[in-house]
Amino acid sequence: MPPRRPEILAPAGDLESLRAALASGADAVYFGLDEGFNARARADNFSLARLPETMALVHRAGARAYLTLNTLIFEPELPGVERLLRGVAAAGVDALIVQDPAIALLARAICPQLELHASTQMTVSSAEGMRFARGLGVTRVVVPRELSTAEIRRLAEHTDMELEVFIHGALCVSWSGQCLTSEAWGGRSANRGQCAQSCRMPYDLVVDGQTRELGEVRYLLSPKDLAGVRAVPDLVDIGVHSLKIEGRLKGAQYVTTTVQGYRRWVDGVVAGRPDEKQLASDLADMSLTYSRGLSNGFLGGSDHQTLVEGRFPKHRGLYLGRVRSVSGKEVLVTPEERPWTGALGLGEERPQGPEGKVSSPLPGEQPTPAAVELRPGMGVVFDAGTPEDKHEPGGPIFRVDRRGNGWVLGFGHPGPDLNRVAPGQRVWLNSDPALARRTEAQLAQGEPEGRVHLTLQVSGAEGTPLRVRASAWGHEVSAESPTPLTPSKGKGLDEALLRDKLGACGGTPFTLAHLDLTGLTSGMHLPVSELKALRRDVVAALTPLVEKGPVRTVTQTPVLESVRTALLSRVAGQAVEEGAHAGPRLLPLCRDDAQLEAVIAAGLREVELDWMEMVGLQRAVERARAAGLRVTIATVRVQKPGEEGYDARLDKLRPDAVLVRHWGAMMHFLERPSGQPRPVLHGDFSLNVTNSVTAAHLLGLGLDTLTCSHDLDETQLFALLEHAPAHRFTVALHHHIATFHTEHCVYSHTLSNGRDYRSCGRPCERHQVSLRDRIGLEHPVIVDVGCRNTVFNAQAQSAASLVPRLLERGVRRFRVEFVRESQAEAARVLAAYQELLAGRCAPAEAVRRAAVHEQFGVTRGTMKVLG
């Protein structure tokens, strides 16, 4: 028996892309609404008012429709979200893709049958985390793009939930849901669908305080695009339910080439007849449509030498080679002889360069031009000037002549400014009008037909009408002939005749998949005209039902207050360590021994230890306990399958409390056997709590406190605290916001030859790296025990100005986080904020004192009212 074919899930940023996806054979599409709350706010998206029409179009094509409501929700938005959910459920959407638990909880109350998928933005990365998602009513998890096929297999072995895997498209360098660069640097949040694409910006590498020259390599956080074709056999074998194509900001041509290419490749893999030649052609088409260079992403495991190319951040296309000479309007281009390993083999080692150094990734690691035929009209671009240049030389080819192993490209008017083109520059084939024409021709054919499987049950006997019961997608209709059946003089109503007359569904969404004649007496007769009429009747009755989607009930009664009240009632009865009447508490978070010594000297009662590599953590715990401090230990920020041992290591240290940073760790400590004591659990900012419904749910599960999300500004923060128990929240009072949290290791990529921790030589143990941005700010890069990098903001952020109002509201927990501060610097910061909380110092003065050592100053950051 062949394996089940995974669903091909296509992006739809606008109506044309949606039609292209359906015409190309997508099994499902995903899209967002104009009304917001989706992670691609810049896409054209769709309107709620016309959503029933959109659903009808998708369902007639035999596909499913998933709506992205995959952003965080602020407190004032909850009533509007409830109204939106009610309209979405009624319109017939097949599933919601969600990030914020509040949306899942409200959707379940409004429409229990509405399917829920956990977005990759929810950062569900382990079997324990999936148990949390299941508690929200989630049936499918979109796994993080950082998981390898081996890790996905391990995940599948520990859950029966559906898994959805990104297979193609742009890669985020940061773990989804854990990127705060847009919020910290641009005042617009990626968790709100407004990514500023900070990863596509140039950075200088600063090593131990000195700038390290890297030549053309400046885009240190800009990954190549994912082309996971070589992972498909493993993913099919694992049984993943869906293969997802990224690209809601790309057009219909991109959707056509990717959906058609992956549909052919997946069908071939499932049938045991994969077509390598067709794959090469399809990958070339995909590259011409949009590509920053193709890679395996993380599906083959980490490869820090090839994931990031580093020379450009945008579409290049198909690499041709280098300019050899320029003469008039002609350019001679010859290819480079370099093997492509990027998407044709998982986990292959790169060739060694001079002195054993692994050669830095070159643009040629993608489909070769041999996969396409160069033709006049195709477009090229030359790597002349800087990658930020919006007027790079390039344009359509007027003539192509073969010369040796290269090409002479002839240009006309208008054409590229060849005065800027010089020998040695790279040349890219970046467009093909034939692909655009192919998409246009496909769309001109109209809606696809015959993709909804139809089951017919036919019954009847002499003297009774012929009854036809038709069913599709859980809907059922029936029709009867106006005249009774009579004995036939010939073959009568046999299977061949009924398949021909009842199953002739051309021009409709249906195709006959099963015909059941067990209820029909043999040898009966009915005029052919009546058979055709019965077919038309059942198709006419069934079509609008299929268009509306799954059968479900949608409550019209308001649910927000009842859901929130029920959740908060669980919280109200809980016994917590300190109640609402406790005094304000300063919570220092340290990352090294010197900072811990500053905390001990400051006379504080407790400390939070975030030993990111866990080296020396036990010694730090013992030192803190000897000084009489309560000890809280922070978990890692994310945890992949096979990394459960990190939580076990924390267990062995028997901390007084744990700072929980991911869903898996939360479930690990909450799911203790009855009678087994557990530490106090504090939820950190990375759980992304932005509203009272999510907060009440997590507190009700057993978290003792929560940290307010860094996505909240001043207004949003106080709106949350108005509807939730403020004394159970921690506010980050002073910190360098953790901007990127990435699986890609900058240390390994730039300071070693190694593809992962086994071969990198661990330069992170000998050097300190920072990334200098375009305005001169240097952002520290710190490695954790999983070899993941966290890029911290160069500027410290302070919420000191809010302290009087926060105290009045009832907040009692104020965290101060250190990154690379010395003992003296940490002592000054602690003293300033101790004075502030004690009422002996004004907020402005506290900030002034805390900022003494800050090279780039202290700002209000995300606590500024952004509007």
Side-chain angles (χ1 to χ4, degrees), residues 640-722:
K640 301 198 294 184
E643 296 181 347
E644 295 80 6
Y646 296 150
D647 291 333
R649 287 172 69 176
L650 302 189
D651 263 332
K652 291 180 181 178
L653 296 175
R654 300 175 64 186
D656 300 293
V658 174
L659 186 60
V660 172
R661 288 178 165 159
H662 60 90
W663 304 123
M666 182 183 77
M667 299 305 290
H668 171 85
F669 290 104
L670 287 177
E671 294 177 333
R672 292 291 179 88
S674 178
Q676 183 175 332
R678 68 165 176 83
V680 170
L681 299 180
H682 303 300
D684 203 4
F685 73 93
S686 49
L687 301 186
N688 290 327
V689 177
T690 58
N691 61 74
S692 60
V693 173
T694 294
H697 178 66
L698 299 181
L699 293 173
L701 287 177
L703 292 185
D704 293 83
T705 70
L706 297 167
T707 304
C708 299
S709 167
H710 296 331
D711 283 288
L712 299 173
D713 67 19
E714 176 182 342
T715 299
Q716 297 148 0
L717 171 62
F718 280 99
L720 164 62
L721 296 176
E722 185 178 345

Side-chain angles (χ1 to χ4, degrees), residues 201-218:
M201 301 297 179
Y203 297 92
D204 292 326
L205 183 72
V206 180
V207 182
D208 301 327
Q210 301 296 315
T211 302
R212 178 73 59 93
E213 293 299 330
L214 298 174
E216 296 177 278
V217 177
R218 297 197 62 212

Side-chain angles (χ1 to χ4, degrees), residues 563-576 692-706 723-729:
V563 167
R564 181 161 50 196
T565 299
L567 292 171
L568 288 173
S569 67
R570 296 170 57 194
V571 175
Q574 292 174 336
V576 293
S692 60
V693 173
T694 294
H697 178 66
L698 299 181
L699 293 173
L701 287 177
L703 292 185
D704 293 83
T705 70
L706 297 167
H723 292 88
H727 67 287
R728 297 186 63 175
F729 281 86

Side-chain angles (χ1 to χ4, degrees), residues 55-56 59-60 90-92 94 452 470-478 509-510 537-552:
M55 293 303 96
H59 293 152
R60 284 197 302 270
D94 294 283
V452 178
S471 59
W473 283 18
H475 300 280
E476 188 175 285
V477 299
S478 60
F510 302 101
D537 288 345
V538 295
V539 165
L542 196 55
T543 297
L545 298 178
V546 167
E547 288 177 340
K548 291 177 68 174
V551 178
R552 54 174 60 131

Side-chain angles (χ1 to χ4, degrees), residues 248-316:
R248 282 193 284 146
L249 292 176
K250 302 183 179 80
Q253 185 178 316
Y254 168 88
V255 172
T256 298
T257 57
T258 52
V259 172
Q260 288 181 346
Y262 277 93
R263 180 77 192 230
R264 280 191 284 263
W265 181 242
V266 170
D267 285 348
V269 168
V270 170
R273 297 186 298 275
D275 187 336
E276 298 279 349
K277 186 176 181 180
Q278 180 65 55
L279 173 64
S281 176
D282 286 338
L283 284 170
D285 286 349
M286 296 178 207
S287 294
L288 285 170
T289 304
Y290 194 95
S291 171
R292 298 180 179 92
L294 301 181
S295 78
N296 297 310
F298 292 100
L299 289 170
S302 294
D303 187 347
H304 303 307
Q305 300 304 326
T306 62
L307 182 76
V308 171
E309 199 280 331
R311 289 178 172 84
F312 49 82
K314 57 187 176 182
H315 172 53
R316 295 280 84 179

